[in-house]
């Protein structure tokens, strides 16, 4: 930092304090210009100040990325090199509005107790992936930074070795047994609203596309669904999320309104690979709703309470399909015990509940608890149902892509419920290593979700290892068992054992 006296033409060098501010004092009265000229202050503006006799100035500055020479590829490779070596430039922690984050990310997917349908109100956007670092340090870096538009994504590949020879279902997402495959190639284009500030209305948007085997778990009927419902392709494409955010800070402690297609709000897990503790998904998650299209409002009342209300067209369907119908969602998030506990109950996608494509009536509760700096757990339970589901024995025809139910003899239709619970125990070993232990139980009472009328259990042990903040390895051991019916390997086995692993490469 150079302090330049315009009148006397004298330069002085001032060093930063540990709190990220620059204290300037004991200067002669006059007019000064403050110019950021060292690495870490690229694209800073010149600031003119007037100092009276005896006056001191404290100037808070945000550290930026230094402008680098060379082409885009060179800057991108430099960003990865610095990330993997741990030498990436970092400034002071950005301000946040609210209590400190309970978790560290990495190694965990999130630093705050998560909720769906909105950005984390009050939390700063600290995500600067390598692609954006290369753009920020280029000739148009200031324009990119000022726009707050980000382009980034990841590649996820996996392998699994299974005692099943044909299919791992209902385990997910690795349903293809004994394969090496590309699960996800994902591109994001987004702008996050600034929810830390409380002065002005702000906006954001999100567009994304996913290619890989995971598409069958994100696809909605009506969004290129012929790939799955008509052709049953192993690989496919889905425009997973498309929405617009309007953030209004003047309502309570902040309100966000989201319009478009977004992830179904309740739960611990998500379709996008980096947002999960474990590579494979729980039985609970593999059969619940995935994405919704509609409008959702999220209001942060204070540091403890948050409420959400949504109107959608139903689960996993586009508005222009015959299965769409007005559906309501209501959620409450309550944080307590000094931020160490969070409860998040939701009534999700409620309407008349009559049989249609994934017209699930869902009641979900998630509980997060932090034991100490390195241990925490996440527990989720739900109850779901559909009404008037056709009997698999006929005579009512089934909706394409939707299962029937194992109704009592003589019933053409019946009520089809299911319930499930999953628990994650998480241990942070270091800033780059963590362990996940998952136990899971599902009772598909009429077989309408899995195709088998049986209850299931599952246990998974996984180790997560980060290289920098851009590469994640997640090897795991998983055991599944079905009780009343042989549900694994296309109905030939009661039990299944897997050794699986994925690798996520962020860009």
């Amino acid at each position: 930092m150079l302090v330049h006296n315009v009148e006397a033409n004298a330069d002085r060098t001032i060093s930063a304090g540990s709190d990220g501010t620059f204290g300037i004092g004991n200067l002669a009265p006059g007019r000064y210009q403050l110019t950021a000229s060292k690495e870490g202050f690229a694209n800073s503006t010149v600031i003119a100040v007037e100092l009276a006799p005896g006056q001191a100035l404290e100037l808070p500055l945000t550290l930026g990325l230094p402008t680098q020479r060379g082409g885009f590829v060179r800057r991108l490779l430099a960003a990865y090199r610095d990330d993997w070596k741990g030498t990436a430039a970092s400034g002071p922690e950005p301000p946040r509005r609210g209590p400190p984050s309970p978790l560290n990310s990495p190694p965990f997917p999130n630093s705050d107790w998560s909720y769906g349908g909105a950005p984390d109100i009050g939390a700063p956007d600290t995500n600067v992936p390598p692609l954006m670092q290369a753009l920020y340090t280029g000739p148009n870096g200031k324009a990119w930074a000022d726009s707050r538009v980000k382009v980034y994504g990841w590649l996820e590949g996996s392998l699994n070795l299974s005692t099943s020879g044909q299919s791992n279902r209902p385990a997910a997402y690795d349903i293809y047994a004994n394969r090496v495959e590309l699960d996800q190639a994902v591109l994001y284009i987004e702008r996050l609203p600034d929810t830390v500030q409380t002065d002005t209305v702000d906006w954001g948007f999100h567009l994304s596309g996913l290619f890989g085997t995971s598409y069958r778990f994100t696809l909605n009927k009506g969004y290129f669904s012929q790939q799955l419902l008509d052709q049953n392709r192993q690989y496919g494409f889905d425009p997973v999320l498309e929405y617009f955010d309007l953030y209004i800070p003047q309502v309570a402690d902040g309100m966000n309104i989201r319009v478009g297609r977004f992830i179904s709000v309740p739960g611990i897990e998500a379709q996008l690979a980096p947002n999960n503790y474990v590579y494979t998904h729980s039985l609970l998650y593999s059969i619940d709703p995935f994405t919704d299209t509609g409008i959702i409002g999220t209001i942060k009342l204070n540091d403890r309470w948050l409420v959400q209300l949504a109107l959608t067209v139903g689960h996993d369907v586009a508005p222009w399909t015959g299965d769409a119908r007005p559906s309501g969602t209501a959620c409450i998030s309550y944080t307590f015990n000094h931020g160490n506990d969070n409860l998040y109950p939701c009534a999700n996608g409620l309407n008349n509940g009559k049989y249609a494509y994934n017209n699930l009536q869902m009641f979900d509760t998630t509980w997060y608890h932090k034991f100490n700096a390195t241990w925490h757990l996440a527990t989720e339970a739900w109850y779901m149902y559909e009404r008037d589901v056709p009997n698999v024995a006929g005579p009512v025809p089934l909706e394409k892509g939707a299962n029937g139910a194992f109704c009592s003899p003589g019933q053409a239709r019946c009520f089809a419920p299911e319930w499930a619970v999953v628990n994650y125990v998480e241990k942070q070993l270091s800033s780059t290593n963590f362990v996940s232990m998952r136990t899971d139980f599902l009772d598909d009472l009429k077989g309408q979700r899995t195709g088998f009328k049986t209850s299931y259990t599952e246990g998974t042990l996984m180790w997560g290892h980060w290289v920098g903040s851009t590469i994640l390895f997640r090897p795991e051991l998983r055991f599944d068992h079905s009780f009343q019916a042989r549900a694994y390997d296309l109905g030939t086995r009661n039990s299944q054992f897997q050794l699986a692993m994925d690798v996520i490469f962020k860009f």
Side-chain angles (χ1 to χ4, degrees):
M1 166 65 67
L2 294 179
V3 179
H4 179 67
N5 188 311
V6 177
E7 298 173 356
N9 194 30
D11 291 343
R12 303 188 186 188
T13 301
I14 308 295
S15 59
S18 61
D19 60 354
T21 62
F22 288 79
I24 302 173
N26 299 319
L27 299 178
R31 184 169 179 268
Y32 292 84
Q33 284 189 348
L34 298 113
T35 307
S37 61
K38 295 184 67 177
E39 279 197 349
F41 299 94
N43 304 318
S44 296
T45 57
V46 174
I47 303 172
V49 296
E50 293 280 350
L51 289 182
Q55 181 182 2
L57 171 67
E58 185 174 88
L59 178 68
L61 294 178
T62 301
L63 292 174
L65 292 169
T67 301
Q68 297 178 357
R69 295 181 179 180
F72 171 79
V73 173
R74 180 177 177 180
R75 299 195 306 271
L76 181 63
L77 294 176
Y80 279 111
R81 178 200 64 209
D82 293 342
D83 180 69
W84 298 339
K85 293 174 65 176
T87 58
S90 61
E93 187 72 19
R96 60 182 287 128
R97 188 162 52 84
S101 299
L103 306 177
N104 295 316
S105 179
F108 298 118
N110 302 300
S111 57
D112 293 283
W113 307 130
S114 60
Y115 51 85
D120 191 358
I121 296 176
D125 178 15
T126 58
N127 179 31
V128 187
L131 180 58
M132 292 312 302
Q133 291 186 44
L135 292 173
Y136 286 160
T137 55
N140 299 310
K142 186 177 187 305
W144 276 107
D146 290 345
S147 74
R148 303 205 331 254
V149 174
K150 294 183 180 181
V151 182
Y152 64 101
W154 62 86
L155 301 173
E156 180 200 21
S158 71
L159 65 88
N160 76 86
L161 301 174
S162 174
T163 54
S164 293
Q166 304 173 81
S167 174
N168 291 329
R169 284 181 178 270
Y173 288 171
D174 61 337
I175 64 171
Y176 298 100
N178 302 299
R179 296 282 186 93
V180 175
E181 57 195 19
L182 174 65
D183 294 65
Q184 298 183 9
V186 175
L187 180 67
Y188 275 6
I189 305 173
E190 70 176 11
R191 182 186 194 272
L192 295 180
D194 182 355
T195 65
V196 176
Q197 58 85 27
T198 59
D199 298 323
T200 60
V201 173
D202 202 4
W203 59 276
F205 72 90
H206 182 102
L207 300 171
S208 60
L210 178 151
F211 177 82
T213 58
S214 295
Y215 89 99
R216 66 175 51 240
F217 296 98
T218 67
L219 205 67
N220 279 197
K221 187 176 183 181
Y223 293 103
F224 305 106
S225 53
Q226 74 282 354
Q227 302 170 90
L228 177 63
L229 301 183
D230 296 334
Q231 301 161 6
N232 194 29
R233 294 181 180 177
Q234 178 179 357
Y235 286 91
F237 170 80
D238 181 33
V240 187
L241 305 170
E242 306 87 31
Y243 55 76
F244 174 82
D245 281 329
L246 181 66
Y247 175 67
I248 306 173
Q250 291 83 3
V251 178
D253 269 5
M255 177 177 72
N256 190 81
I257 299 173
R258 178 167 292 178
V259 181
R261 183 184 175 196
F262 47 84
I263 290 178
S264 181
V265 288
I268 300 169
E269 301 169 55
Q271 294 98 323
L272 291 314
N275 298 336
N276 295 293
Y277 289 117
V278 176
Y279 159 47
T280 62
H281 285 276
S282 64
L283 296 165
L284 172 146
Y285 184 75
S286 65
I287 63 170
D288 70 4
F290 292 118
T291 65
D292 295 329
T293 302
I295 180 170
I296 180 170
T298 302
I299 301 176
K300 183 179 180 181
L301 301 177
N302 50 49
D303 289 340
R304 290 191 173 214
W305 292 96
L306 179 141
V307 296
Q308 296 178 297
L309 291 174
L311 179 63
T312 70
V313 299
H315 299 308
D316 302 325
V317 294
W320 48 85
T321 65
D323 296 83
R325 58 206 61 196
S327 305
T329 292
C331 303
I332 299 174
S333 175
Y334 176 58
T335 302
F336 58 104
N337 188 22
H338 306 288
N340 292 325
D341 285 274
N342 176 266
L343 283 175
Y344 185 43
C346 285
N348 188 26
L350 302 188
N351 51 51
N352 61 14
K354 289 188 176 181
Y355 175 73
Y357 184 85
N358 275 8
N359 190 33
L360 299 165
Q361 310 299 287
M362 182 185 193
F363 300 88
D364 184 285
T365 297
T366 303
W367 171 45
Y368 297 96
H369 175 70
K370 178 181 177 181
F371 294 100
N372 53 42
T374 61
W375 287 93
H376 74 275
L377 65 78
T379 303
E380 180 183 359
W382 55 240
Y383 174 79
M384 302 190 305
Y385 67 86
E386 287 188 66
R387 302 182 188 276
D388 301 333
V389 179
N391 195 329
V392 293
V396 180
L398 300 178
E399 179 76 23
K400 182 183 290 186
N403 292 329
F406 289 85
C407 304
S408 300
Q411 285 185 304
R413 296 176 180 267
C414 62
F415 179 76
E418 49 276 333
W419 67 273
V421 61
V422 65
N423 176 255
Y424 285 85
V425 177
E426 302 295 316
K427 168 65 175 176
Q428 178 175 339
L429 303 176
S430 69
S431 61
T432 57
N433 293 277
F434 71 106
V435 173
S436 292
M437 294 160 278
R438 182 178 66 202
T439 52
D440 189 14
F441 183 85
L442 163 68
D443 197 350
D444 193 358
L445 294 165
K446 295 293 179 65
Q448 198 268 328
R449 298 304 297 161
T450 65
F452 296 92
K453 184 180 178 181
T454 185
S455 55
Y456 303 82
T457 190
E458 169 258 323
T460 298
L461 176 64
M462 190 224 69
W463 167 54
H465 174 69
W466 287 91
V467 178
S469 62
T470 53
I471 299 178
L472 174 60
F473 295 89
R474 296 188 295 191
E476 67 175 63
L477 293 172
R478 173 171 176 155
F479 176 76
D480 290 82
H481 181 75
S482 60
F483 292 91
Q484 292 81 23
R486 295 181 177 181
Y488 288 94
D489 207 8
L490 302 182
T492 62
R493 295 174 179 268
N494 284 99
S495 298
Q496 176 178 276
F497 183 81
Q498 287 189 74
L499 170 63
M501 184 180 78
D502 75 335
V503 180
I504 298 173
F505 179 85
K506 294 185 176 183
F507 58 86

